[in-house]
Amino acid sequence: MKVLITGGSGFVGTALARELLDQGHQVVATGTSRQHRSLRHENFRYLQADTTREGDWQNEIEDADGVVNLAGRSIFGRWTENYKKQIHDSRILTTRNVVD
C-alpha cells in the first residue's frame, strides 16, 4: 500500500511513517522542512511542500491508496490573532487542497 502523509515530518507523522514502513508499505510524506530529520528508508520519500497552496505534491494523491492529513501549524505558540489564523488556515486550506 502507498500512503501519503501531509505533515509527515512532525512527531505523529514520523511515528506513523515508521510504523507503516515497518509493515512493508510505501510512504510519501510532506512537510515544510527541506528534508526529513530522521527517516531514511528505501520505501520512504519526502517532499518539501506548503500544503496550504496547490502544487506538485497533489500529484502524489492520485497514486496513493490512502492519505493521512496531519498538516497544521503547531498549537504550542502564543495565540495572537495572526497565529490563530495560521493555525486555522494550515488545517483548512491543506484539507481543501487534498480534497481537490
Side-chain angles (χ1 to χ4, degrees):
M1 179 188 304
K2 182 177 178 182
V3 179
L4 170 69
I5 305 173
T6 63
S9 61
F11 179 74
V12 175
T14 298
L16 176 59
R18 278 194 183 115
E19 181 65 27
L20 290 168
L21 290 166
D22 286 347
Q23 293 178 14
H25 301 291
Q26 294 179 340
V27 176
V28 177
T30 67
T32 56
S33 303
R34 286 199 169 178
Q35 60 185 7
H36 198 282
R37 294 181 299 260
S38 60
L39 276 178
R40 303 286 182 267
H41 192 282
E42 63 186 21
N43 289 330
F44 178 78
R45 195 158 48 95
Y46 179 77
L47 302 172
Q48 180 184 13
D50 178 354
T51 55
T52 65
R53 299 174 186 263
E54 294 180 352
D56 290 340
W57 67 271
Q58 290 171 294
N59 297 330
E60 297 296 329
I61 296 170
E62 294 176 23
D63 295 333
D65 298 302
V67 177
V68 179
N69 183 9
L70 298 174
R73 190 85 158 113
S74 173
I75 60 169
F76 301 108
R78 189 154 188 250
W79 282 46
T80 62
E81 289 305 312
N82 182 48
Y83 198 73
K84 285 191 276 188
K85 181 174 177 8
Q86 290 177 35
I87 292 170
H88 175 271
D89 288 351
S90 66
R91 287 160 174 75
I92 301 301
L93 296 177
T94 293
T95 301
R96 286 181 186 159
N97 287 330
V98 167
V99 171
D100 285 345

